[in-house]
């Protein structure tokens, strides 16, 4: 699945645009939704983010690797940048506490994320995209 440069750029600037990606996980105590300001497009088949809080989302991934990542940006929709300001990515997460994939994810992060407190002990999370569409069920732009 090819991810357009438009979607790549929107996800990269999501935090600064006030539209951080949200990652939904499910664990033994139920679902959890967490903002992940470090979310990036890793390649055409993967999203990635830096897990530095190591709280409920990480606990849930130990139980169930399935995730849903949502990008929601009303302004992009109002400004005509996106037909629908809601994009969803369903997939399976892999955690990388060390190694080349962890380092590759870290290199993709914005400097703000690379220097954030806890970044040095963070975990790279790679999400293999199984399906992606806008909230209306249409393919991504």
């Amino acid at each position: 699945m090819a991810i357009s440069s438009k979607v790549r750029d929107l996800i990269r600037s999501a935090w600064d645009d006030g539209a951080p990606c949200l990652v939904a996980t499910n664990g033994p105590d139920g679902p959890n939704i967490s903002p992940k300001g470090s979310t990036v497009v890793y390649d055409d088949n993967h999203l990635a983010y830096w897990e530095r809080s190591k709280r409920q989302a990480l606990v849930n991934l130990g139980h169930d690797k399935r995730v849903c990542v949502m990008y929601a940006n009303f302004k992009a929709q109002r400004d005509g940048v996106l037909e629908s300001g809601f994009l969803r990515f369903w997939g399976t997460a892999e955690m990388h506490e060390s190694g080349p994939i962890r380092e590759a994810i870290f290199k993709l992060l914005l400097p703000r994320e690379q220097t954030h407190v806890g970044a040095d002990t963070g975990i790279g999370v790679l999400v293999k995209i199984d399906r992606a569409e806008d909230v209306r069920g249409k393919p991504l732009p």
Side-chain angles (χ1 to χ4, degrees):
M1 167 188 131
I3 298 176
S4 70
S5 60
K6 179 192 321 190
V7 171
R8 286 174 186 266
D9 292 346
L10 286 167
I11 289 175
R12 182 149 186 85
S13 66
W15 184 268
D16 292 333
D17 294 342
C21 290
L22 302 175
V23 176
T25 59
N26 190 44
D29 295 328
N32 182 69
I33 299 174
S34 302
K36 298 296 180 188
S38 59
T39 305
V40 294
V41 175
Y42 185 83
D43 62 26
D44 280 340
N45 299 305
H46 298 86
L47 297 178
Y49 66 89
W50 200 250
E51 179 58 62
R52 68 173 183 273
S53 70
K54 300 180 183 172
R55 294 179 24 184
Q56 194 61 48
L58 186 60
V59 170
N60 285 359
L61 288 178
H63 172 76
D64 186 342
K65 304 274 189 255
R66 295 174 299 162
V67 300
C68 182
V69 178
M70 177 170 263
Y71 171 80
N73 187 333
F74 283 121
K75 185 174 183 327
Q77 183 174 342
R78 282 192 308 267
D79 292 349
V81 175
L82 292 172
E83 181 180 337
S84 171
F86 295 92
L87 309 179
R88 292 188 283 196
F89 302 83
W90 290 269
T92 307
E94 289 180 356
M95 294 166 283
H96 295 272
E97 296 186 52
S98 63
I101 293 176
R102 178 187 186 270
E103 298 311 312
I105 294 169
F106 189 81
K107 286 180 184 176
L108 290 172
L109 301 177
L110 292 171
R112 164 185 49 75
E113 290 295 330
Q114 292 174 332
T115 59
H116 197 285
V117 173
D120 57 333
T121 60
I123 298 169
V125 180
L126 189 65
V127 178
K128 182 180 184 308
I129 301 167
D130 298 321
R131 181 171 55 123
E133 58 193 35
D134 73 18
V135 75
R136 299 171 186 157
K138 293 182 178 180
L140 298 185

